[in-house]
Amino acid sequence: MSFYLSLDDVPDLARGAAILGTGGGGDPLIGRLLVEECLKNGKKIEILDPTELDDDDFVISTAMMGAPTVVVEKVPAGTEAVRSLRALENHLGKTADATIPMECGGLNSMIPLVVAAEAGIPVVDGDGMGRAFPELQMETFGVYGVSGSPLAVSDENGHTCIVDTGHDNQRMETFARAVAIKMGGAAYIAEYPMSGADVKRTAIRNTVTLALNIGRTLRRAKDKHLDPLAELSAFLKDTIYGHGTVLMRGKIVDVERFVRDGFTHGSAVVESFDGIDEMRIQFRNENVIAHKNGAVVAIVPDLITIVDVDLGTPITSEALRFGQRVAVYGISTPAIMRTPEALQVFGPQAFGLHEPWVALEELSAAR
Amino acid sequence: MKIGIDVGGTNTDAVLIDGTEVLAGVKSPTMSDVALGITESLRRLQSAFPFDPTQIDAVMIGTTHFINALVEAERLAPTAAIRLGLPATSGLPPFVGWPTRITDAVKALPYMCHGGHEFDGREISPIDREEVRRAVRDAVARGARSFAISSVFSPVNPEFEQMAAEIIGIEFPELPVSLSNEIGRVGLLERENATIINAALRDLSAEVCSSLDQSLMALDINAPLFLSQNDGTLMDVDFARKYPVATFASGPTNSMRGAAYLSGIKDCIVVDVGGTTTDVGVLQSGFPREAATEIEVAGIRTNFRMPDVLSVGVGGGSRIRFDDGVTVGPDSVGYRVTEEALVFGGQTLTATDIMVAAGDTVIGDPERVKHLDRSLVYAARDEIHRRITETVDRMRTSSDLVPVIAVGGGAFLVPEQMACASEVTRPAYSGVANAIGAAIAQVGGEVDRIFAIPAGKREEVLDQAREEAIGKAIAAGAKASTVQIVEIDELPLAYLPGNASRVRIKAVGDLPTSK
C-alpha cells in the first residue's frame, strides 16, 4: 500500500530505523529533523509500494556515506543528495521516477525522504540492506546482480564526483569512501541506478513501513505500560523477518572500542542481573555476533540490537557505557538476505568472523 | 570554615562546615531578589552558630535560578544566533525544534553565515567578515541584546567564533557574546542550543551576579565567592556571569554530593525528596552518574552533562486522594505546605499529613491528623513507599543491594527498609544536603576535543591532554598538589583517517584553605 508520510509518523520511523540500525547507521535525529522541516514547509513525501512500480521505471538509490560523528556536527544542507541524484541523471541521460533507501537502519532511512521531498518523486518502500551495514557493496541489489556504478558523490558545495567501476561494487565502495573522506568525512551519494523490475527482484520489501511499525509498536507499548520487547516480538511474527527475541537482559560491565581501517571495532559485555550469565557482543560499527556464556546465540546478517531494558530505546555502539541497564535483542533476517550469494557479501566472513552463519531462530530453539 | 548555600525555588538553605564537620544548617524562604534571600539565610546561620566572618575561607552557592528562568520562559534576553558553516548545515537553521513558547520569549533571530571547519581542521568556507557584520547589525536593528555564535567543529578549531566575537566587540561592545566552543561539545545542534540558552540568560546573570558580592558584604564576609557547576565543581562569579548555563544541573548534583558527604558512602542511590517531586540518582565514586543520552531542557535538545536523575511526582506536599483506591499526587501544594497541610492548620490532605498520622515523623501539630482513618493512612503510606521503591529499583545497575541515602526536606517519606536496598540512611542535616554539596565542591578543569593520534603516540597525546586539564584546574583556583584526574573518556571516531579520537579528561582539586 502506498501512502503519504505525515509529520506524526516521523518520530516512529526514526525510532524503528534506530532499532534496525543494530548499533550503527548513525543517529536518525538529524535526518528526522530534516524530514520534519520538509513536511512543515508543505512538501509531500510519497512512500510507494514496490508492486506499484512499472518494470521499466527508473529508480536511483540515495544515501549519506561517511562518519556519523561528522554528520552530527556538519549537519546537512539538505540539498546534497539531490545534487548527486541530478548529477547521476545527467551522466546517464535519464530522470529517476523514484528513489529508494540503500539502508533502512539509522540515518539513511531519512535521507531518501528528503530527496523525495526536494525532487518531487516518491520513495520506494524497501531497501537493499534490511538493517544497517558499513559498506556500499553490502546490498541485496548488488547481491542479485545490479551494479552500484555509476555512482555520484557530492558535498555541500555542489562538487560532485562520478565513480564508475563497472560490476565491481567492492571497488566502488573503496573509491567512493576515499572521496567522502576528502569531502570532510561525510558525503551524499546516488547509486545503484536500476529498473523497476530490478527493484522488485532484488529489494527487501516494505522496510520503510517496517521501521515505521516497529517505532509505533514500541511507543504504544510504552504508553500502555506493556513490555516493549514482548510487543515487538509479537509484531515481528507477521513480517518477513518473522522472529525477534530477547537474548539477554543485564548491565553492561565492559565496553572496548578502537578504530581500525576506518571503522569502529569493539565489544561490549553484558552481565545478567542475577550475575549468572554473561553475553559478549562484538561490533564493527554495527553489532555482528553475540556469545552467551561462550556459545554463539546470534550472528550477522541476523540483527543484534542493544536497547534500554525499560524503555526499549536503541543504543548505538558509540553510546554504550559501563553501567547501562540493557536488553540485547535479536531479529531474524528475511529469506532474501540468507541465500548463499547474500551470505557471500554480508555474512560472517565478510566481517572477519570464523564462525559460520546459523539462523537466529535455530540458535534460539537450541537454547 | 566554609559556607554552602543552595538557592532553590522555594527555600534558600545555608550550612557552615569546618573541615569534615557540619556546624550548622538553616533554611529560609527564597526571595525574588536572590541576594536578599542569601543575606537572610546567612543571618539565620549566624544566629544558629555565631561565626567569625574573617574565619570563612569561601562561600559556595548552588542555584536553580537560571534553569528555572528558562523553563518558565521569563527574564530571557532577545537573542540572535549566528551560525558559521555555510554552505553546509543550511537544512537545519538555528532554533529548529525549539518550543514556540521559548522562541517567542527570546524573540529568536537566526542567521547563517559562511565559515566552519571540517573534522580535521580544514575550513569549510573562509569567514566573510562583511557578511557577519551585516548579520550583527540586522540583529541589533531587530532588537537583539545578546549573541550566540556557533561554528561547525569549533571544538576542533574555535578561530571563526573568536573572529565573530571581535566583530561584535567593535560594533556593539556593550552586548554580551556567547561562544559555542566554550560552552558545549561536539554535536552542532545541541551545542548551538546550549549556547543560545546561555546567551538568553546573560542579562539575568549579570544582574544576579553583581548582587551576590553585596549579599556577603552585609555580614562582613570577605571570602571568595563561588558558584556550583553542572559537574559538582566550582566556578568564580565572573565565570558564572558569562556561563549561566553551567549552573543548570548543580541542584541535583549538589544534593547527591551532599548525600555522599553526610553518609560517607560513595557508591549508592540517593533519594532527594522535595515538596512536589522525588529525584533519584546514582552515586559512583562520590560523583553522580551522568545521563547517557542527550538531555532535553525545557523541550530543547542540549548536550549538557547532567546527572542521570529519575523523577517521580511524590513529595511532602503531594495531595492524597481516596476516590479510586489511593492516589498520591502528582499535584502538590508545593511550598505552601506550611499553610495548607492539615498539620499546619490547613485544609489539604498531603503526604506530610499521612506520615505524621502514621507516626513516621513529627511535624506541625500531630493532633490535627489524629482523626484520620487508620486503614486509609496506612494504605496511603504503603502507596508512597511503593512509588519511591519502584523508582529506586529502576535506577539500580545490578542485582546487588545498594545503600540508599534519603535527603531533602521530605526525606521522611522514604521507607526505612527497601527490598533492593542494603540499608536506608537518613543522615543528620539531610534536609540541607544541597547546601552541603555546594560547600564541599572542588575546583575542576576539563579538556574535551578531537585529537589526531599518530601511530604509537597515544600515550603522548593523552599526557598532553592530561597536563592541559590539570593546568585548567589550577587556573580555576585549585591547589596544585591536590589536583587529580577523575575522568578519562576516549572515543575513537569511525570512518576518519589519522586515527582521530575524541578525548575528554577532567581534573579536580581542592580550594586552598587558610589552615
Short mmCIF file of all heavy atoms in Angstrom, two decimals, chain A residues 29 33-34 37 66-68 72-77 156-157 177 181-182 184 251 257 259 262-264 273 285 323-325, chain B residues 87-92 96 118-119 122 124 152-153 187-189 191 292 301 394 396-397 399 491-495 497:
data_model
loop_
_atom_site.label_atom_id
_atom_site.label_comp_id
_atom_site.label_asym_id
_atom_site.label_seq_id
_atom_site.Cartn_x
_atom_site.Cartn_y
_atom_site.Cartn_z
N LEU A 29 18.21 11.23 14.33
CA LEU A 29 17.59 12.50 14.71
C LEU A 29 17.81 13.61 13.68
O LEU A 29 16.88 14.32 13.33
CB LEU A 29 18.12 13.00 16.06
CG LEU A 29 17.57 14.40 16.40
CD1 LEU A 29 16.11 14.33 16.84
CD2 LEU A 29 18.39 15.07 17.50
N LEU A 33 14.81 15.50 11.81
CA LEU A 33 14.55 16.95 11.81
C LEU A 33 14.45 17.48 10.39
O LEU A 33 13.60 18.32 10.09
CB LEU A 33 15.65 17.70 12.56
CG LEU A 33 15.67 17.54 14.08
CD1 LEU A 33 16.92 18.17 14.68
CD2 LEU A 33 14.43 18.14 14.71
N LEU A 34 15.31 16.99 9.49
CA LEU A 34 15.27 17.43 8.08
C LEU A 34 13.94 17.07 7.45
O LEU A 34 13.34 17.88 6.74
CB LEU A 34 16.38 16.75 7.28
CG LEU A 34 17.76 17.35 7.31
CD1 LEU A 34 18.71 16.41 6.56
CD2 LEU A 34 17.79 18.72 6.69
N GLU A 37 11.25 19.28 8.75
CA GLU A 37 11.31 20.61 8.15
C GLU A 37 10.67 20.59 6.76
O GLU A 37 9.93 21.49 6.40
CB GLU A 37 12.75 21.11 8.03
CG GLU A 37 13.38 21.62 9.31
CD GLU A 37 12.60 22.76 9.94
OE1 GLU A 37 12.63 23.88 9.41
OE2 GLU A 37 11.94 22.50 10.98
N GLY A 66 29.68 7.88 5.18
CA GLY A 66 30.72 8.54 5.94
C GLY A 66 30.53 8.37 7.42
O GLY A 66 29.80 7.51 7.87
N ALA A 67 31.19 9.21 8.17
CA ALA A 67 31.21 9.07 9.63
C ALA A 67 30.00 9.74 10.26
O ALA A 67 29.81 10.94 10.11
CB ALA A 67 32.47 9.71 10.18
N PRO A 68 29.20 8.97 10.98
CA PRO A 68 28.06 9.58 11.68
C PRO A 68 28.52 10.68 12.63
O PRO A 68 27.81 11.67 12.83
CB PRO A 68 27.45 8.41 12.45
CG PRO A 68 27.87 7.20 11.72
CD PRO A 68 29.22 7.49 11.15
N VAL A 72 26.77 14.63 12.83
CA VAL A 72 26.13 15.30 13.96
C VAL A 72 26.68 16.71 14.16
O VAL A 72 26.11 17.51 14.87
CB VAL A 72 26.27 14.53 15.31
CG1 VAL A 72 25.61 13.20 15.24
CG2 VAL A 72 27.69 14.45 15.78
N GLU A 73 27.81 17.01 13.55
CA GLU A 73 28.41 18.32 13.69
C GLU A 73 28.19 19.13 12.40
O GLU A 73 27.72 20.24 12.42
CB GLU A 73 29.90 18.17 13.99
CG GLU A 73 30.66 19.46 14.18
CD GLU A 73 30.22 20.27 15.38
OE1 GLU A 73 29.56 19.75 16.30
OE2 GLU A 73 30.52 21.47 15.40
N LYS A 74 28.53 18.53 11.28
CA LYS A 74 28.35 19.22 10.00
C LYS A 74 27.03 18.72 9.44
O LYS A 74 26.98 17.86 8.56
CB LYS A 74 29.52 18.85 9.09
CG LYS A 74 29.60 19.66 7.80
CD LYS A 74 30.81 19.18 6.99
CE LYS A 74 30.71 19.64 5.56
NZ LYS A 74 31.74 19.04 4.71
N VAL A 75 25.94 19.26 9.97
CA VAL A 75 24.63 18.75 9.58
C VAL A 75 24.35 19.09 8.12
O VAL A 75 24.92 20.03 7.58
CB VAL A 75 23.51 19.28 10.52
CG1 VAL A 75 23.83 18.97 11.97
CG2 VAL A 75 23.26 20.76 10.34
N PRO A 76 23.49 18.33 7.47
CA PRO A 76 23.30 18.51 6.04
C PRO A 76 22.69 19.87 5.66
O PRO A 76 21.94 20.45 6.43
CB PRO A 76 22.35 17.38 5.65
CG PRO A 76 22.36 16.43 6.77
CD PRO A 76 22.70 17.20 8.00
N ALA A 77 23.03 20.31 4.44
CA ALA A 77 22.32 21.45 3.87
C ALA A 77 20.95 20.98 3.41
O ALA A 77 20.03 21.76 3.27
CB ALA A 77 23.12 22.04 2.71
N GLU A 156 28.60 19.69 0.15
CA GLU A 156 27.69 20.83 0.31
C GLU A 156 27.98 21.96 -0.68
O GLU A 156 27.20 22.88 -0.80
CB GLU A 156 27.75 21.35 1.75
CG GLU A 156 29.05 22.03 2.14
CD GLU A 156 30.18 21.06 2.47
OE1 GLU A 156 29.99 19.84 2.31
OE2 GLU A 156 31.25 21.53 2.89
N ASN A 157 29.13 21.89 -1.35
CA ASN A 157 29.49 22.95 -2.31
C ASN A 157 28.97 22.67 -3.70
O ASN A 157 29.20 23.47 -4.61
CB ASN A 157 31.02 23.08 -2.40
CG ASN A 157 31.60 23.60 -1.11
OD1 ASN A 157 31.30 24.71 -0.69
ND2 ASN A 157 32.40 22.78 -0.45
N ARG A 177 34.47 5.93 -0.82
CA ARG A 177 34.81 6.27 0.56
C ARG A 177 36.01 7.22 0.61
O ARG A 177 36.03 8.16 1.41
CB ARG A 177 35.12 5.01 1.38
CG ARG A 177 35.14 5.29 2.87
CD ARG A 177 34.87 4.05 3.73
NE ARG A 177 33.58 3.44 3.46
CZ ARG A 177 32.42 3.83 4.02
NH1 ARG A 177 32.41 4.85 4.86
NH2 ARG A 177 31.30 3.21 3.72
N ILE A 181 35.87 10.94 2.34
CA ILE A 181 36.78 11.41 3.38
C ILE A 181 37.37 12.77 3.00
O ILE A 181 37.45 13.67 3.82
CB ILE A 181 37.88 10.36 3.64
CG1 ILE A 181 37.27 9.19 4.41
CG2 ILE A 181 39.04 10.97 4.42
CD1 ILE A 181 38.18 8.01 4.61
N LYS A 182 37.72 12.91 1.73
CA LYS A 182 38.25 14.20 1.30
C LYS A 182 37.20 15.29 1.35
O LYS A 182 37.50 16.47 1.49
CB LYS A 182 38.80 14.10 -0.14
CG LYS A 182 40.09 13.34 -0.26
CD LYS A 182 41.19 14.01 0.55
CE LYS A 182 42.49 13.23 0.44
NZ LYS A 182 43.52 13.75 1.34
N GLY A 184 35.26 15.77 3.63
CA GLY A 184 35.07 16.18 5.02
C GLY A 184 34.60 15.05 5.93
O GLY A 184 34.24 15.27 7.07
N LYS A 251 23.32 -5.75 32.79
CA LYS A 251 24.04 -4.48 32.93
C LYS A 251 25.34 -4.59 32.12
O LYS A 251 25.98 -5.62 32.11
CB LYS A 251 24.35 -4.26 34.40
CG LYS A 251 25.33 -3.12 34.70
CD LYS A 251 25.67 -3.10 36.18
CE LYS A 251 27.12 -2.72 36.41
NZ LYS A 251 27.48 -2.66 37.82
N ARG A 257 36.50 -0.11 22.65
CA ARG A 257 36.35 0.42 21.28
C ARG A 257 37.70 0.80 20.72
O ARG A 257 38.54 1.36 21.42
CB ARG A 257 35.52 1.71 21.30
CG ARG A 257 34.04 1.55 21.17
CD ARG A 257 33.37 2.92 21.17
NE ARG A 257 33.39 3.52 22.48
CZ ARG A 257 32.33 3.64 23.26
NH1 ARG A 257 31.16 3.19 22.86
NH2 ARG A 257 32.43 4.21 24.44
N VAL A 259 39.56 2.07 16.64
CA VAL A 259 39.35 2.28 15.21
C VAL A 259 40.39 1.52 14.42
O VAL A 259 41.58 1.58 14.72
CB VAL A 259 39.45 3.78 14.86
CG1 VAL A 259 39.40 3.98 13.35
CG2 VAL A 259 38.32 4.54 15.53
N GLY A 262 39.35 2.49 9.49
CA GLY A 262 38.29 3.48 9.35
C GLY A 262 36.95 3.06 9.93
O GLY A 262 35.97 3.76 9.75
N PHE A 263 36.90 1.93 10.62
CA PHE A 263 35.64 1.53 11.26
C PHE A 263 35.85 1.40 12.76
O PHE A 263 36.94 1.11 13.22
CB PHE A 263 35.15 0.20 10.68
CG PHE A 263 34.80 0.29 9.23
CD1 PHE A 263 35.69 -0.16 8.27
CD2 PHE A 263 33.60 0.84 8.82
CE1 PHE A 263 35.38 -0.07 6.92
CE2 PHE A 263 33.28 0.94 7.47
CZ PHE A 263 34.18 0.49 6.51
N THR A 264 34.78 1.59 13.51
CA THR A 264 34.85 1.41 14.96
C THR A 264 34.62 -0.05 15.30
O THR A 264 33.53 -0.58 15.11
CB THR A 264 33.78 2.26 15.67
OG1 THR A 264 34.04 3.64 15.40
CG2 THR A 264 33.85 2.06 17.18
N PHE A 273 21.28 -9.66 35.34
CA PHE A 273 21.02 -9.01 36.62
C PHE A 273 21.26 -9.93 37.81
O PHE A 273 21.62 -9.49 38.89
CB PHE A 273 19.59 -8.47 36.67
CG PHE A 273 19.39 -7.28 35.78
CD1 PHE A 273 18.41 -7.26 34.80
CD2 PHE A 273 20.19 -6.15 35.94
CE1 PHE A 273 18.23 -6.16 33.98
CE2 PHE A 273 20.01 -5.03 35.11
CZ PHE A 273 19.04 -5.04 34.13
N ASN A 285 31.19 -1.12 13.84
CA ASN A 285 30.12 -0.12 13.76
C ASN A 285 28.80 -0.79 14.12
O ASN A 285 28.16 -0.43 15.11
CB ASN A 285 29.99 0.54 12.39
CG ASN A 285 31.09 1.52 12.13
OD1 ASN A 285 32.05 1.62 12.87
ND2 ASN A 285 30.94 2.26 11.07
N GLY A 323 27.61 0.23 33.03
CA GLY A 323 26.54 0.50 33.98
C GLY A 323 25.17 0.64 33.34
O GLY A 323 24.16 0.66 34.06
N GLN A 324 25.11 0.74 32.03
CA GLN A 324 23.80 0.88 31.40
C GLN A 324 23.01 -0.41 31.59
O GLN A 324 23.54 -1.50 31.47
CB GLN A 324 23.94 1.15 29.91
CG GLN A 324 24.37 2.57 29.61
CD GLN A 324 24.72 2.76 28.15
OE1 GLN A 324 25.18 1.84 27.50
NE2 GLN A 324 24.50 3.95 27.63
N ARG A 325 21.71 -0.27 31.86
CA ARG A 325 20.84 -1.44 32.00
C ARG A 325 20.22 -1.69 30.64
O ARG A 325 19.46 -0.86 30.14
CB ARG A 325 19.77 -1.14 33.05
CG ARG A 325 20.36 -0.80 34.40
CD ARG A 325 19.27 -0.48 35.40
NE ARG A 325 18.53 -1.66 35.77
CZ ARG A 325 17.20 -1.71 35.88
NH1 ARG A 325 16.49 -0.66 35.64
NH2 ARG A 325 16.60 -2.83 36.23
N PRO B 87 28.49 26.64 2.99
CA PRO B 87 27.17 26.20 2.54
C PRO B 87 26.62 24.95 3.24
O PRO B 87 25.54 24.51 2.92
CB PRO B 87 27.39 25.91 1.05
CG PRO B 87 28.82 25.52 0.96
CD PRO B 87 29.54 26.30 2.02
N ALA B 88 27.38 24.42 4.18
CA ALA B 88 26.85 23.26 4.91
C ALA B 88 25.82 23.71 5.93
O ALA B 88 25.71 24.89 6.25
CB ALA B 88 28.00 22.51 5.60
N THR B 89 25.08 22.78 6.47
CA THR B 89 24.15 22.92 7.61
C THR B 89 22.89 23.71 7.34
O THR B 89 22.04 23.85 8.23
CB THR B 89 24.80 23.55 8.87
OG1 THR B 89 24.87 24.98 8.74
CG2 THR B 89 26.16 22.98 9.15
N SER B 90 22.69 24.23 6.13
CA SER B 90 21.55 25.13 5.94
C SER B 90 20.20 24.42 6.02
O SER B 90 19.17 25.07 6.10
CB SER B 90 21.67 25.86 4.59
OG SER B 90 21.88 24.92 3.56
N GLY B 91 20.21 23.09 6.00
CA GLY B 91 18.95 22.36 6.10
C GLY B 91 18.27 22.49 7.45
O GLY B 91 17.07 22.30 7.59
N LEU B 92 19.05 22.81 8.49
CA LEU B 92 18.50 22.89 9.84
C LEU B 92 18.99 24.18 10.50
O LEU B 92 20.01 24.20 11.18
CB LEU B 92 18.94 21.67 10.66
CG LEU B 92 18.40 20.34 10.16
CD1 LEU B 92 19.04 19.18 10.92
CD2 LEU B 92 16.89 20.27 10.31
N VAL B 96 15.83 25.38 15.27
CA VAL B 96 14.95 24.34 14.75
C VAL B 96 14.56 23.40 15.89
O VAL B 96 15.39 23.00 16.70
CB VAL B 96 15.62 23.56 13.59
CG1 VAL B 96 16.79 22.70 14.07
CG2 VAL B 96 14.61 22.69 12.86
N GLU B 118 36.15 21.55 8.99
CA GLU B 118 35.95 20.11 8.88
C GLU B 118 36.51 19.45 10.15
O GLU B 118 37.19 20.08 10.94
CB GLU B 118 36.70 19.57 7.65
CG GLU B 118 36.38 20.28 6.35
CD GLU B 118 35.05 19.87 5.71
OE1 GLU B 118 34.27 19.14 6.35
OE2 GLU B 118 34.79 20.30 4.57
N PHE B 119 36.27 18.12 10.25
CA PHE B 119 36.70 17.41 11.46
C PHE B 119 38.21 17.50 11.68
O PHE B 119 38.70 17.39 12.79
CB PHE B 119 36.29 15.94 11.40
CG PHE B 119 37.15 15.12 10.47
CD1 PHE B 119 38.27 14.44 10.95
CD2 PHE B 119 36.87 15.05 9.12
CE1 PHE B 119 39.07 13.69 10.10
CE2 PHE B 119 37.66 14.31 8.26
CZ PHE B 119 38.78 13.63 8.75
N ARG B 122 40.44 21.67 8.53
CA ARG B 122 40.35 22.46 7.29
C ARG B 122 39.12 23.35 7.37
O ARG B 122 38.16 23.00 8.03
CB ARG B 122 40.19 21.55 6.07
CG ARG B 122 41.43 20.78 5.63
CD ARG B 122 41.08 19.87 4.45
NE ARG B 122 40.25 18.74 4.82
CZ ARG B 122 39.36 18.16 4.02
NH1 ARG B 122 39.15 18.63 2.81
NH2 ARG B 122 38.66 17.12 4.43
N ILE B 124 35.62 24.91 6.10
CA ILE B 124 34.53 24.58 5.19
C ILE B 124 34.42 25.71 4.17
O ILE B 124 34.33 25.49 2.97
CB ILE B 124 33.20 24.40 5.95
CG1 ILE B 124 33.28 23.12 6.81
CG2 ILE B 124 32.01 24.36 5.01
CD1 ILE B 124 32.08 22.89 7.71
N VAL B 152 30.80 25.37 12.87
CA VAL B 152 30.91 23.91 12.73
C VAL B 152 32.31 23.46 13.15
O VAL B 152 33.31 24.03 12.73
CB VAL B 152 30.61 23.49 11.27
CG1 VAL B 152 30.78 21.98 11.12
CG2 VAL B 152 29.21 23.92 10.87
N PHE B 153 32.34 22.43 13.98
CA PHE B 153 33.59 21.86 14.52
C PHE B 153 34.44 22.89 15.28
O PHE B 153 35.67 22.77 15.33
CB PHE B 153 34.41 21.16 13.44
CG PHE B 153 34.01 19.72 13.23
CD1 PHE B 153 33.46 19.30 12.03
CD2 PHE B 153 34.15 18.79 14.26
CE1 PHE B 153 33.06 17.98 11.86
CE2 PHE B 153 33.75 17.46 14.09
CZ PHE B 153 33.21 17.06 12.88
N GLY B 187 28.59 18.04 18.44
CA GLY B 187 27.15 17.83 18.29
C GLY B 187 26.57 19.21 18.05
O GLY B 187 26.21 19.91 19.00
N LEU B 188 26.50 19.64 16.76
CA LEU B 188 26.24 21.06 16.46
C LEU B 188 24.94 21.58 17.06
O LEU B 188 24.93 22.62 17.73
CB LEU B 188 26.22 21.28 14.95
CG LEU B 188 25.92 22.73 14.55
CD1 LEU B 188 27.12 23.61 14.83
CD2 LEU B 188 25.54 22.84 13.09
N LEU B 189 23.84 20.88 16.80
CA LEU B 189 22.55 21.43 17.23
C LEU B 189 22.46 21.55 18.74
O LEU B 189 21.99 22.55 19.28
CB LEU B 189 21.39 20.58 16.68
CG LEU B 189 21.27 20.55 15.16
CD1 LEU B 189 20.11 19.66 14.75
CD2 LEU B 189 21.09 21.95 14.60
N ARG B 191 24.96 21.76 20.86
CA ARG B 191 25.90 22.76 21.37
C ARG B 191 25.40 24.16 21.07
O ARG B 191 25.47 25.07 21.91
CB ARG B 191 27.28 22.55 20.73
CG ARG B 191 28.35 23.47 21.31
CD ARG B 191 29.73 23.17 20.78
NE ARG B 191 29.94 23.67 19.43
CZ ARG B 191 29.95 22.91 18.35
NH1 ARG B 191 29.78 21.61 18.45
NH2 ARG B 191 30.15 23.44 17.16
N ALA B 292 23.16 9.10 29.96
CA ALA B 292 23.91 8.64 28.78
C ALA B 292 23.45 9.30 27.49
O ALA B 292 24.23 9.45 26.57
CB ALA B 292 23.78 7.12 28.65
N ARG B 301 16.79 20.33 22.88
CA ARG B 301 17.87 19.35 22.97
C ARG B 301 19.22 20.02 23.20
O ARG B 301 19.59 20.94 22.49
CB ARG B 301 17.94 18.55 21.67
CG ARG B 301 17.25 17.21 21.77
CD ARG B 301 17.31 16.47 20.49
NE ARG B 301 18.59 15.85 20.25
CZ ARG B 301 18.81 14.53 20.34
NH1 ARG B 301 17.85 13.73 20.71
NH2 ARG B 301 19.98 14.04 20.05
N ARG B 394 14.36 1.10 39.60
CA ARG B 394 14.63 1.36 38.19
C ARG B 394 16.02 1.96 37.98
O ARG B 394 16.56 1.90 36.89
CB ARG B 394 13.59 2.30 37.61
CG ARG B 394 12.28 1.61 37.32
CD ARG B 394 11.30 2.54 36.69
NE ARG B 394 11.81 3.04 35.41
CZ ARG B 394 11.23 4.00 34.72
NH1 ARG B 394 10.14 4.57 35.17
NH2 ARG B 394 11.74 4.41 33.59
N ARG B 396 18.70 1.04 39.69
CA ARG B 396 19.76 0.10 40.05
C ARG B 396 20.50 -0.35 38.80
O ARG B 396 19.92 -0.48 37.73
CB ARG B 396 19.17 -1.12 40.74
CG ARG B 396 18.67 -0.82 42.13
CD ARG B 396 17.81 -1.95 42.62
NE ARG B 396 18.57 -3.16 42.84
CZ ARG B 396 18.03 -4.37 42.88
NH1 ARG B 396 16.75 -4.54 42.69
NH2 ARG B 396 18.78 -5.43 43.09
N THR B 397 21.78 -0.61 38.95
CA THR B 397 22.55 -1.06 37.80
C THR B 397 22.94 -2.52 37.92
O THR B 397 23.60 -3.07 37.07
CB THR B 397 23.84 -0.24 37.65
OG1 THR B 397 24.53 -0.27 38.90
CG2 THR B 397 23.53 1.20 37.28
N SER B 399 21.99 -6.48 40.29
CA SER B 399 21.11 -7.14 41.24
C SER B 399 21.61 -6.97 42.66
O SER B 399 20.93 -7.31 43.62
CB SER B 399 21.05 -8.62 40.91
OG SER B 399 22.37 -9.15 40.91
N LEU B 491 36.99 8.39 22.76
CA LEU B 491 36.06 7.85 21.78
C LEU B 491 36.69 7.90 20.41
O LEU B 491 36.76 8.97 19.80
CB LEU B 491 34.77 8.69 21.79
CG LEU B 491 33.70 8.26 20.80
CD1 LEU B 491 33.11 6.92 21.22
CD2 LEU B 491 32.60 9.30 20.71
N PRO B 492 37.18 6.76 19.90
CA PRO B 492 37.75 6.77 18.55
C PRO B 492 36.64 7.12 17.54
O PRO B 492 35.50 6.70 17.72
CB PRO B 492 38.24 5.34 18.34
CG PRO B 492 38.20 4.70 19.68
CD PRO B 492 37.18 5.42 20.48
N LEU B 493 36.99 7.88 16.55
CA LEU B 493 35.98 8.31 15.59
C LEU B 493 36.02 7.42 14.36
O LEU B 493 37.04 7.31 13.68
CB LEU B 493 36.23 9.77 15.20
CG LEU B 493 36.15 10.73 16.39
CD1 LEU B 493 36.50 12.14 15.96
CD2 LEU B 493 34.77 10.72 17.02
N ALA B 494 34.93 6.79 14.06
CA ALA B 494 34.85 5.85 12.94
C ALA B 494 34.96 6.56 11.61
O ALA B 494 34.62 7.72 11.49
CB ALA B 494 33.53 5.10 13.00
N TYR B 495 35.43 5.85 10.62
CA TYR B 495 35.45 6.30 9.22
C TYR B 495 36.43 7.43 8.96
O TYR B 495 36.53 7.89 7.84
CB TYR B 495 34.07 6.80 8.77
CG TYR B 495 32.99 5.75 8.76
CD1 TYR B 495 32.01 5.74 9.73
CD2 TYR B 495 32.95 4.78 7.77
CE1 TYR B 495 31.00 4.79 9.72
CE2 TYR B 495 31.94 3.83 7.74
CZ TYR B 495 30.96 3.84 8.72
OH TYR B 495 29.96 2.91 8.70
N PRO B 497 40.29 9.14 8.85
CA PRO B 497 41.70 8.76 8.81
C PRO B 497 42.49 9.46 9.91
O PRO B 497 41.94 10.31 10.60
CB PRO B 497 42.16 9.27 7.44
CG PRO B 497 41.30 10.45 7.20
CD PRO B 497 39.98 10.18 7.86
#
